[in-house]
Amino acid sequence: MNLVRIYTGWLVLGTLLFYLISLWQTHALIVPTLFAWTANFAMWKSLTKGARRQSTWLSMIGLLCLLYAGSRGVWMNWQQMFAINLPMLSMFVAVSFLDLTNQQEGNRPLPKGFSAILNTAFGVQVLGAVINLSVIMVFADRMKGMKTLSPIQQYILTRNFSAAAWWSPFFVATGVALTYAPGMQWQQTILPGFAMGMVAILYSSLEAYKQSNGEFRGYPIRKESLFIPLFLACAVIVVHFISPDIRILTLICVLAPCSAILLMKSRPRTTVLNQFIHHKLPQVGSQFALFLAAGVFSSGISAVILSYPQAFSLENLNFSNWLFSALLAGMILLGLIGIHPVVSIAIVSPILLPIHPDPTQLGFLFLSAWAISAGSSGLTGLGLLMTSRYQIPTRTIVKNSYPYAIFMWLLCSLVNGLYF
């Protein structure tokens, strides 16, 4: 085993630490960029074939587009090509530390009935809003027991976990929206976003209760386990209110790991942190590969658009409710066929930015596309996890969720028209 692979976890951690340093020393951005790409290469062999294939195609298409645009005199700088998604990767590393605060629920019996559905849906959304993807596996492994996870249990988990993208500052979707909708006021999306999240809980819970005839077995969540997510969310909001000049992404990158280390219950801390860095952090390979490749792809698309300003111009249009609704429908459909939300966002953003849409409204579009497509698709990250780990067929995931996707699309279009 070579030295790079031995120290992969430290390369991932270095991406976060040196990114934070680069916020004060702008010229130092090259250091976290090198750390991120080196970590990506070190983790490459551990990726699934699907992740490697998608990342490779994104990178190749992006590089070809960059070369073509360069032949027409349009060149992008290295930051735009290789570091555009560095803030999101740093945020992902930061929130990964929250896995240290996970509390195991032991062998308590699984609750049944409508209250079990509501508690599971609410719990996976609130916990997932902060602790992210590991919550899905904790919930699903416990709920399936010695059997298999049922399709109803699957959509309760994936839909409501993904719905946290509408309102959680700790969700990677928020980092994407803040990056690709410059000037977005995240706090202005909290109210409509939280309302969408609650509707997702209610819609899915009623559907699950009807389909399971009240026999649904949920997760035995405790009130105490909600403390850390709520504490961190409140901390971000309060600190941002006191110091609005500090970016939300920066707050999360600092608060998440510090709070996790402070509130973790496992002892001794040094041993647990060392194991986390060496064994947990190297498991973020698919996220590093996808986001770095998506950055190259986005840069290439942007360069081609700049090469043909008239062909891609939407200057005769404004960011109307109809355009919002049409774009959201298209991005959801792309998600259903396996295009990750970050890729569709990377395509749409450079096309829309020249018409100067309201940044917060644009951010709400991106959050909505992420929340709906990630919760309904069998071919993006969550869907692939359910298919590979819990043997839920892709066709079943899409079949069960397309009415939900249509309903939430219509509701988002309505909320956009009324609120923005």
Side-chain angles (χ1 to χ4, degrees):
M1 183 180 293
N2 57 51
L3 286 175
V4 172
R5 293 188 63 188
I6 293 175
Y7 293 106
T8 297
W10 290 104
L11 289 169
V12 173
L13 180 59
T15 301
L16 169 62
L17 295 178
F18 285 104
Y19 168 72
L20 290 173
I21 293 172
S22 73
L23 295 175
W24 285 271
Q25 300 289 335
T26 312
H27 63 276
L29 185 64
I30 185 67
V31 179
T33 304
L34 288 173
F35 267 77
W37 281 94
T38 305
N40 180 44
F41 294 135
M43 295 182 285
W44 185 257
K45 289 186 178 180
S46 67
L47 302 183
T48 63
K49 289 183 179 180
R52 286 203 297 266
R53 183 168 56 248
Q54 187 173 10
S55 300
T56 300
W57 277 108
L58 285 174
S59 300
M60 288 177 62
I61 293 171
L63 289 172
L64 287 173
C65 288
L66 286 167
L67 289 172
Y68 178 76
S71 71
R72 296 183 57 84
V74 176
W75 296 96
M76 311 296 276
N77 60 44
W78 70 265
Q79 292 96 330
Q80 292 170 310
M81 290 186 287
F82 302 116
I84 187 171
N85 284 338
L86 194 61
M88 287 178 288
L89 281 179
S90 300
M91 174 183 168
F92 191 86
V93 176
V95 298
S96 296
F97 274 84
L98 296 170
D99 187 55
L100 293 168
T101 66
N102 268 352
Q103 298 181 20
Q104 298 300 321
E105 297 293 336
N107 295 316
R108 300 174 68 204
L110 298 179
K112 292 174 59 176
F114 187 65
S115 62
I117 301 174
L118 275 178
N119 287 337
T120 301
F122 183 76
V124 77
Q125 186 171 135
V126 174
L127 289 170
V130 177
I131 303 175
N132 283 359
L133 194 60
S134 60
V135 166
I136 284 279
M137 290 178 277
V138 171
F139 273 53
D141 287 348
R142 181 73 172 88
M143 288 165 65
K144 75 181 182 66
M146 299 300 293
K147 302 177 183 178
T148 58
L149 196 72
S150 73
I152 299 175
Q153 290 173 318
Q154 171 267 312
Y155 71 65
I156 282 291
L157 293 177
T158 53
R159 289 182 194 174
N160 292 292
F161 171 81
S162 301
W166 268 302
W167 59 270
S168 170
F170 291 92
F171 223 78
V172 177
T174 302
V176 175
L178 289 168
T179 300
Y180 286 96
M184 172 190 172
Q185 299 297 311
W186 164 80
Q187 58 271 31
Q188 293 181 16
T189 65
I190 293 179
L191 182 60
F194 190 74
M196 293 299 300
M198 295 306 102
V199 170
I201 289 174
L202 187 60
Y203 180 102
S204 300
S205 297
L206 290 172
E207 183 182 4
Y209 183 74
K210 180 180 177 181
Q211 293 181 357
S212 65
N213 297 316
E215 293 299 313
F216 180 95
R217 292 189 175 272
Y219 186 79
I221 194 166
R222 298 180 302 177
K223 293 179 181 178
E224 304 84 57
S225 57
L226 299 176
F227 168 74
I228 292 173
L230 293 176
F231 167 78
L232 288 172
C234 291
V236 169
I237 294 170
V238 170
V239 175
H240 185 67
F241 178 78
I242 295 171
S243 303
D245 293 337
I246 302 178
R247 296 176 61 199
I248 291 290
L249 278 175
T250 305
L251 283 178
I252 294 170
C253 286
V254 174
L255 286 175
C258 292
S259 300
I261 294 170
L262 180 66
L263 298 173
M264 63 186 284
K265 295 184 179 297
S266 302
R267 296 291 187 276
R269 277 194 174 93
T270 305
T271 302
V272 174
L273 282 171
N274 192 54
Q275 291 177 344
F276 174 80
I277 292 170
H278 282 285
H279 300 290
K280 283 284 187 178
L281 285 185
Q283 295 177 14
V284 299
S286 60
Q287 286 79 16
F288 264 59
L290 178 62
F291 281 104
L292 290 173
V296 177
F297 177 81
S298 172
S299 181
I301 295 295
S302 299
V304 171
I305 290 171
L306 290 172
S307 302
Y308 296 94
Q310 296 304 317
F312 290 96
S313 174
L314 296 178
E315 59 185 15
N316 295 325
L317 298 175
N318 56 35
F319 195 42
S320 65
N321 296 335
W322 291 108
L323 183 58
F324 177 99
S325 185
L327 287 171
L328 180 57
M331 295 169 82
I332 293 170
L333 288 173
L334 287 175
L336 292 177
I337 63 173
I339 304 298
H340 195 281
V342 73
V343 178
S344 59
I345 290 170
I347 295 172
V348 170
S349 176
I351 296 176
L352 286 180
L353 288 178
I355 67 173
H356 306 293
D358 174 65
T360 303
Q361 186 183 17
L362 182 61
F364 183 69
L365 169 68
F366 295 159
L367 294 176
S368 299
W370 190 298
I372 298 173
S373 60
S376 307
S377 173
L379 294 173
T380 51
L382 269 181
L384 292 173
L385 173 66
M386 289 295 162
T387 300
S388 60
R389 188 179 179 97
Y390 303 106
Q391 290 76 53
I392 306 290
T394 299
R395 186 174 182 180
T396 300
I397 295 174
V398 176
K399 182 181 178 181
N400 284 340
S401 289
Y402 80 84
Y404 164 81
I406 293 172
F407 176 81
M408 299 306 281
W409 165 67
L410 290 171
L411 186 59
C412 276
S413 300
L414 179 63
V415 169
N416 173 66
L418 294 176
Y419 189 80
F420 293 101

